[in-house]
Amino acid sequence: AQSVAQPEDQVNVAEGNPLTVKCTYSVSGNPYLFWYVQYPNRGLQFLLKYITGDNLVKGSYGFEAEFNKSQTSFHLKKPSALVSDSALYFCAVRVSSGSARQLTFGSGTQLTVLP
Amino acid sequence: GAGVSQTPSNKVTEKGKYVELRCDPISGHTALYWYRQSLGQGPEFLIYFQGTGAADDSGLPNDRFFAVRPEGSVSTLKIQRTERGDSAVYLCASSPSASGYEQYFGPGTRLTVT
């Protein structure tokens, strides 16, 4: 079975400061990892993914995430937060082998960037 | 191009009724997924189609739930004898290949069972 933990329900950060949204995962085998963002009354939007290769992946809107296999983590980061980054963020995992394609999501972290 | 669309955006139904939720994937996407998102939780997988066939329906909670994709494009999620616990946002996603590296989500259908 695969699972994702987002230990923080809420993260507050001041505009211009760096932000981190935490994610740890559990999967049998090698993981594919994803971050999605959800704005009110809108669907999930893809931010970035880790499939293989460089542990630091860059995505949309200046976000990046670092895959750490030993700590089974995939934290989302941004060097300088914007008020417009305020949204609900989901980390997701799926196994890289076999026929399963479904994503398993964490419970989400509400990011609030304060002006 | 157009993204994934879902209709209706909102559906209110009475307990025991039958409902159908529709998903139009991005044109040319071969894989289609249904998820369910309850309040305060992340999406939970229901079923995955590759082409016309259901490649994995392990997430369907019981036999009241059924989904079809007869022509390999539009999909319909069908719920029989709805229960109040079925109330949630039902999300559809599509991806351009069987790899499913990136799944593109629609805005969802909010189902409320009274």
Side-chain angles (χ1 to χ4, degrees), chain B residues 4 13 20 33 36 39 53 55 60 75 85 91 95 101 108 111-112:
Chain B
V4 177
T13 191
E20 290 188 351
Y33 308 79
R36 178 168 71 173
L39 193 62
L60 294 177
S75 177
L91 297 170
S95 63
Y101 289 159
L111 175 66
T112 304

Side-chain angles (χ1 to χ4, degrees), chain B residues 21 25 29 41 50 68 71 73 80 83 89-90 93 113:
Chain B
L21 311 179
H29 281 196
Q41 298 182 20
Q50 181 56 43
V68 295
E71 298 179 356
S73 178
Q80 298 177 325
E83 300 178 357
V89 176
Y90 289 81
V113 182

Side-chain angles (χ1 to χ4, degrees), chain A residues 54-76:
Chain A
D54 195 348
N55 289 344
L56 183 65
V57 294
K58 295 186 182 294
S60 307
Y61 313 119
F63 284 93
E64 59 188 29
E66 185 165 13
F67 170 59
N68 187 317
K69 188 172 184 177
S70 63
Q71 297 186 4
T72 62
S73 67
F74 190 57
H75 301 329
L76 181 70

Side-chain angles (χ1 to χ4, degrees), chain A residues 92-109:
Chain A
V93 68
R94 58 161 271 210
V95 67
S96 64
S97 60
S99 61
R101 294 290 180 268
Q102 68 267 30
L103 298 176
T104 297
F105 287 84
S107 56
T109 298

